[in-house]
């Protein structure tokens, strides 16, 4: 049991990173990770030591995330608010920082399934095979989501936010 | 016989993600030399990977909060100890503004130092400010577009406006002068809040571009540095200044808004 817990512990930083990128909010990210860890520990029997513990944990976390979205019925419009301490000594327009902020914003606009595929591969460095197991989709689907994610990300950054994003604010009651 | 003829986008993605064996990698590289358009795609995807990592890798070295300690969770039989998850309870408006982050400070790449510190006092502070900033943004959205009734009391009656709002907020507030910056006072209004009341001053420049200054009385005296938030095309600076908190909102760029915020701060300081 202790060994199992130690192995889980080693995966936590990556789970937090994935959750943070997925939700765009570090507090929600840790809520999600906590849910996944609790489930993993309750369902320890379901884990077969022959597989990768990390993939299994990512799979649990992904499923919880999907269920959370479903339970809300409607996907929350993912919009980022960047909060940053204003430091007048640094010129505000550093291109690198802009690229970061824009990527983060654009990421939030990707459909969830595309965001999950992209993050598992590009951020978490999972192989395509591992990613298909975690997401429980065939490789062709993974490739198509990955391709669309990269295309959309580029387009949103190049052309600004998709116009449909505006609706969220207006339709909010 | 060129195997490069059969290279498709899936191969290119696989190349970017290190999925190809040596032989295929070589073939893709030859192909990319012959197809500059595809090479640009690949460069963009590689850049995306790097940017994503730069954005989120900071968390890896952060201390893990104790509630995520698997030993502790196991000791609790995997049952949750956390307080009710806010994520599900939020109304749509709240969810829209849910994705706050903190500490993406200047110079992350060029300077190497990243100061993201989840669960830091700064983040707790931010969580406390979230409703205020949200409310200010909502109020701006609602009234800045208003043609007939943008304000309750017009800026022509500035003295009356300021004394009325001061009385209602139970703290002495002022309407900063921004005429040198090209903005005149349109007027102001009261706004209901969950707890207490907020005031909103509205300013307008010669082109009709409007900015609003949202003002609330602090429950207890507190000060903060300038903070920046943005939502869609709105940018906001907010700060706490002893008895009063301010949120300056505008559909103008951060660069345009920043000197206004600093100017207002210096006018209202005392």
């Amino acid at each position: 049991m202790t060994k199992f817990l130690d192995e889980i512990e080693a995966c936590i930083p990556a789970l937090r990173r994935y959750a943070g990128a997925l939700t765009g909010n570090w507090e929600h990210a840790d809520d999600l990770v906590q849910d996944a860890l609790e489930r993993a520990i309750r369902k320890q029997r379901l884990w077969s030591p022959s597989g990768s513990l990390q993939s299994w944990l990512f799979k649990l976390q992904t499923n919880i995330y999907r269920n959370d979205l479903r339970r809300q019925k409607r996907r929350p419009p993912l919009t980022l608010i960047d909060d940053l301490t204003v430091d007048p000594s640094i010129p505000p327009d550093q291109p690198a920082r802009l690229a970061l902020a824009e990527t983060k914003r654009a990421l939030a606009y990707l459909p969830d399934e595309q965001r999950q595929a992209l993050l598992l591969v590009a951020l978490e460095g999972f192989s395509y095979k591992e990613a298909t197991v975690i997401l429980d989709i065939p490789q062709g689907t993974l490739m198509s989501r990955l391709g669309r994610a990269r295309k959309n990300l580029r387009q949103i950054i190049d052309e600004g936010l998709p116009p449909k994003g505006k609706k969220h604010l207006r339709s909010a009651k | 016989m060129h195997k490069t003829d059969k290279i498709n986008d899936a191969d290119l993605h696989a190349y970017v993600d290190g999925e190809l064996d040596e032989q295929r990698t070589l073939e893709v590289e030859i192909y990319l030399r012959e197809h500059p358009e595809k090479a640009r795609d690949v460069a963009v995807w590689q850049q995306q990977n790097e940017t994503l990592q730069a954005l989120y890798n900071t968390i890896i070295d952060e201390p893990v909060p104790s509630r995520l300690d698997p030993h502790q969770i196991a000791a609790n039989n995997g049952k949750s100890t956390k307080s009710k998850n806010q994520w599900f309870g939020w109304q749509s408006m709240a969810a829209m503004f849910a994705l706050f982050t903190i500490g993406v400070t200047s110079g992350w790449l060029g300077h190497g130092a990243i100061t993201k510190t989840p669960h830091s006092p700064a983040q707790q502070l931010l969580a406390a400010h979230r409703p205020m900033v949200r409310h200010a943004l909502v109020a701006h959205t609602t009234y800045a577009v208003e043609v007939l009734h943008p304000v309750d009391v017009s800026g022509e009656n500035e003295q009356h406006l300021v004394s009325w709002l001061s009385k209602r907020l139970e703290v002495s507030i002022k309407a900063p002068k921004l005429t040198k910056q090209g903005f005149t006072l349109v007027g102001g209004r009261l706004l209901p809040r969950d707890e207490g009341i907020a005031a909103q001053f509205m300013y307008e420049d010669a082109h009709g571009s409007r900015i609003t200054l949202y003002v609330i009385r602090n429950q207890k005296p507190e000060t903060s540095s300038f903070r920046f938030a943005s939502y869609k095309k709105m940018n906001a600076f907010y700060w706490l200044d002893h008895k009063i908190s301010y949120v300056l909102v505008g559909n103008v760029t951060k660069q345009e808004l920043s000197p206004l915020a600093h100017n207002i701060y210096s006018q209202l300081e005392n």
Side-chain angles (χ1 to χ4, degrees):
Chain A
M1 180 70 174
T2 310
K3 184 164 171 288
F4 176 72
L5 296 176
D6 289 344
E7 284 175 23
I8 286 182
E9 197 166 17
C11 300
I12 291 175
L15 289 167
R16 294 180 78 202
R17 176 175 59 190
Y18 177 53
L22 213 50
T23 62
N25 174 301
W26 293 110
E27 278 173 53
H28 292 158
D30 280 349
D31 284 349
L32 178 60
V33 174
Q34 189 178 345
D35 285 344
L37 295 175
E38 285 165 4
R39 187 177 297 181
I41 286 162
R42 284 197 308 269
K43 309 272 180 185
Q44 190 189 343
R45 283 173 292 114
L46 298 181
W47 180 62
S48 64
S50 58
S52 151
L53 179 64
Q54 189 173 28
S55 293
W56 185 64
L57 291 171
F58 270 79
K59 189 168 186 163
L60 284 179
Q61 186 166 300
T62 298
N63 289 341
I64 291 171
Y65 177 69
R66 285 171 172 170
N67 286 339
D68 286 355
L69 291 179
R70 212 170 296 141
R71 227 179 298 171
Q72 285 180 351
K73 297 201 174 104
R74 197 171 65 81
R75 173 178 174 276
L78 285 160
T79 306
L80 297 169
I81 293 189
D82 292 314
D83 183 278
L84 31 95
T85 307
V86 176
D87 181 351
S89 67
I90 311 272
D93 244 337
Q94 277 183 18
R97 201 175 92 212
L98 275 180
L100 257 199
E102 282 176 5
T103 302
K104 191 167 179 183
R105 213 174 277 262
L107 184 68
Y109 274 90
L110 290 185
D112 279 298
E113 52 184 36
Q114 290 177 26
R115 191 165 58 245
Q116 289 165 16
L118 180 67
L119 291 175
L120 287 174
V121 171
L123 178 62
E124 296 303 327
F126 281 108
S127 70
Y128 290 168
K129 183 141 193 311
E130 288 167 322
T132 59
V133 171
I134 291 166
L135 296 175
D136 200 19
I137 53 175
Q139 176 141 348
T141 309
L142 177 76
M143 294 312 294
S144 121
R145 287 180 188 177
L146 188 59
R148 276 181 288 144
R150 284 179 163 146
K151 185 167 167 256
N152 286 334
L153 198 62
R154 182 181 188 176
Q155 195 176 347
I156 294 168
I157 292 169
D158 286 354
E159 298 171 14
L161 296 177
K164 64 173 182 179
K166 283 182 187 165
K167 281 185 197 159
H168 295 315
L169 193 60
R170 298 232 174 87
S171 64
K173 300 214 167 70
Chain B
M1 171 77 194
H2 280 285
K3 288 182 181 166
T4 55
D5 293 343
K6 289 180 185 163
I7 285 173
N8 56 28
D9 275 2
D11 292 302
L12 300 182
H13 286 288
Y15 172 74
V16 169
D17 298 319
E19 290 272 321
L20 301 178
D21 62 26
E22 223 170 294
Q23 175 63 28
R24 195 64 177 158
T25 300
L26 211 62
E27 287 163 11
V28 167
E29 281 170 356
I30 292 166
Y31 173 85
L32 289 177
R33 251 174 273 153
E34 293 163 356
H35 299 81
E37 182 61 32
K38 294 292 180 187
R40 269 194 294 278
D41 287 347
V42 165
V44 168
W45 299 342
Q46 285 168 333
Q47 180 66 45
Q48 288 175 347
N49 283 13
E50 285 167 21
T51 308
L52 287 173
Q53 284 166 22
L55 266 173
Y56 296 106
N57 273 346
T58 51
I59 195 75
I60 293 296
D61 297 322
E62 294 288 343
V64 174
S66 61
R67 68 180 171 120
L68 300 183
D69 178 356
H71 302 90
Q72 199 173 302
I73 294 170
N76 219 12
N77 297 322
K79 289 201 190 94
S80 183
T81 53
K82 72 168 176 247
S83 54
K84 190 177 177 296
N85 194 333
Q86 280 189 311
W87 181 257
F88 307 112
W90 289 4
Q91 298 305 307
S92 60
M93 204 62 197
M96 194 180 310
F97 291 101
L99 288 144
F100 265 90
T101 55
I102 188 170
V104 184
T105 58
S106 336
W108 62 273
L109 250 187
H111 302 262
I114 299 192
T115 56
K116 188 180 283 295
T117 321
H119 306 290
S120 66
Q123 195 174 35
Q124 288 163 15
L125 199 67
L126 173 67
H129 297 165
R130 191 173 357 214
M132 170 181 84
V133 177
R134 184 164 67 222
H135 192 214
L137 290 170
V138 172
H140 180 87
T141 312
T142 309
Y143 295 113
V145 297
E146 182 63 49
V147 178
L148 288 178
H149 308 290
V151 292
D152 285 339
V153 175
S154 145
E156 290 165 11
N157 306 315
E158 185 179 333
Q159 215 176 351
H160 168 66
L161 170 69
V162 166
S163 62
W164 169 55
L165 293 175
S166 296
K167 193 177 164 203
R168 291 304 310 269
L169 261 65
E170 299 173 347
V171 64
S172 174
I173 62 172
K174 283 191 277 187
K177 294 210 184 324
L178 299 172
T179 38
K180 279 184 191 157
Q181 286 73 33
F183 283 89
T184 52
L185 181 68
V186 179
R189 63 164 64 244
L190 269 183
L191 301 164
R193 296 172 65 222
D194 288 346
E195 293 170 33
I197 288 170
Q200 185 193 50
F201 292 115
M202 187 182 295
Y203 295 82
E204 191 175 60
D205 73 4
H207 311 290
S209 174
R210 283 169 172 175
I211 56 172
T212 57
L213 181 68
Y214 174 95
V215 184
I216 60 169
R217 181 167 62 91
N218 293 334
Q219 296 286 352
K220 52 176 193 255
E222 206 178 340
T223 51
S224 77
S225 55
F226 271 115
R227 291 184 178 283
F228 175 75
S230 67
Y231 177 74
K232 297 286 173 62
K233 287 180 179 163
M234 282 183 281
N235 286 314
F237 281 92
Y238 66 97
W239 65 97
L240 280 67
D241 192 2
H242 195 58
K243 285 184 188 165
I244 305 174
S245 294
Y246 300 92
V247 187
L248 180 69
V249 188
N251 295 57
V252 296
T253 66
K254 189 178 166 188
Q255 288 72 36
E256 290 169 303
L257 199 62
S258 170
L260 291 168
H262 284 267
N263 187 289
I264 291 170
Y265 176 74
S266 60
Q267 283 188 47
L268 300 177
E269 197 176 27
N270 54 52

